[in-house]
Amino acid sequence: MEKEFCTAVVLAGGSGKRMGTKVHKQYLLMGGNPVIYYSLKAFQDSDLIDEIILVVGKGEEEYCRTEIVEKYQFSKVRKIVAGGSERYESVWNGIQAAEERGYIFIHDGARPFTDGAIIRRGYECVIETKACVAGMPSKDTIKVADEKDYVIDTPERKSLWIVQTPQVFEARLIRRAYSMLMAEKDITVTDDAMVVERMLEYPVKMYRGSYENIKITTPEDLDVAEVFLKK
């Protein structure tokens, strides 16, 4: 079977408020390289990815071009676009800049441990399903609490997954879902799968990411990431 065209939309526009640093979390050094370097390298090195759209904070386009893309020779980065004030706006900007064919991998640049195996599992899954999301079964019991923090439900753990990225979709499907979302006035979505689920009522399948595919959000995450890098 001939390989389908694949675009990676990598989000690097987070402010990193919970990190407690002036430097945005995606530019913090980890193992001598910026956090965003590792995500971009994974997609650059994958033979499945044809182009990368890098979505950055407004005003950071030139910095990313010179200090990230050109410095590390990420030749698959075809466009650098400014993100919006919310994640869904940044994703929409990235989707609009991508080729309207094949499949789109949407990935948080603050997840440095995605790799070729995860990318390939996503590709194999999206070919069958048109919509899939990386994740791992929850190791912990999850409680649902009310507004006063009292437990109101304990879902069965075997049905619970920790959601990660890449989230992978047929390009036309995710573009249609997001165009519908942008026309809505009351928007509450926390990931791309929710957009497809709510706007199109289309089923989304989970595929295995990795327990090491963590998101760098707090200083503790950076400490854990350094341990993973040393491995």
Side-chain angles (χ1 to χ4, degrees):
M1 182 187 297
E2 185 178 347
K3 188 193 83 66
E4 295 284 347
F5 188 90
C6 290
T7 301
V9 172
V10 179
L11 306 172
S15 62
K17 292 177 183 176
R18 283 175 286 180
M19 187 61 72
T21 63
K22 292 182 179 179
V23 179
H24 292 182
K25 61 187 176 183
Q26 59 271 22
Y27 306 130
L28 291 172
L29 291 182
M30 188 181 82
N33 295 309
V35 169
I36 186 64
Y37 161 87
Y38 298 96
S39 297
L40 290 173
K41 189 173 190 308
F43 289 111
Q44 175 75 30
D45 291 349
S46 172
D47 58 359
L48 295 171
I49 302 301
D50 298 286
E51 69 169 4
I52 300 171
I53 307 298
L54 181 58
V55 185
V56 303
K58 196 170 184 178
E60 297 175 2
E61 298 93 328
E62 194 54 39
Y63 172 84
C64 286
R65 186 181 310 282
T66 57
E67 296 301 315
I68 305 293
V69 176
E70 293 177 359
K71 180 177 179 179
Y72 296 105
Q73 299 181 326
F74 290 131
S75 59
K76 288 183 182 178
V77 176
R78 303 291 160 80
K79 295 176 185 175
I80 301 174
V81 300
S85 57
E86 300 291 340
R87 184 187 185 279
Y88 68 86
E89 294 172 330
S90 297
V91 173
W92 176 233
N93 291 353
I95 290 171
Q96 288 180 294
E99 292 262 359
E100 195 172 355
R101 59 181 172 128
Y103 300 101
I104 294 180
F105 289 67
I106 302 172
H107 185 66
D108 292 324
R111 288 188 188 273
F113 295 108
T114 196
D115 58 24
I118 294 174
I119 293 169
R120 182 162 293 279
R121 287 196 292 273
Y123 178 77
E124 291 170 352
C125 191
V126 78
I127 285 176
E128 294 180 5
T129 64
K130 296 187 179 180
C132 60
V133 174
M136 293 299 288
S138 176
K139 296 179 180 179
D140 301 314
T141 296
I142 304 296
K143 299 285 187 182
V144 180
D146 64 17
E147 65 277 3
K148 293 183 179 179
D149 297 334
Y150 284 95
V151 173
I152 57 175
D153 192 22
T154 305
E156 280 197 57
R157 189 172 62 186
K158 64 181 181 182
S159 68
L160 300 176
W161 285 61
I162 306 300
V163 175
Q164 304 174 347
T165 65
Q167 303 196 1
V168 198
F169 308 91
E170 183 188 62
R172 288 172 294 182
L173 182 117
I174 193 64
R175 184 181 283 257
R176 182 157 61 96
Y178 259 95
S179 66
M180 292 172 67
L181 177 77
M182 299 308 292
E184 294 277 324
K185 291 183 179 178
D186 184 22
I187 298 175
T188 306
V189 292
T190 55
D191 75 340
D192 312 299
M194 283 181 70
V195 182
V196 172
E197 294 159 17
R198 291 187 177 183
M199 296 297 107
L200 303 179
E201 296 185 357
Y202 194 90
V204 178
K205 185 167 185 177
M206 301 296 305
Y207 73 92
R208 283 191 169 256
S210 165
Y211 286 117
E212 292 186 3
N213 187 23
I214 63 171
K215 188 175 182 180
I216 307 298
T217 304
T218 65
E220 294 81 7
D221 297 329
L222 207 55
D223 293 338
V224 172
E226 292 283 2
V227 173
F228 289 162
L229 268 183
K230 288 175 183 175
K231 288 173 60 180

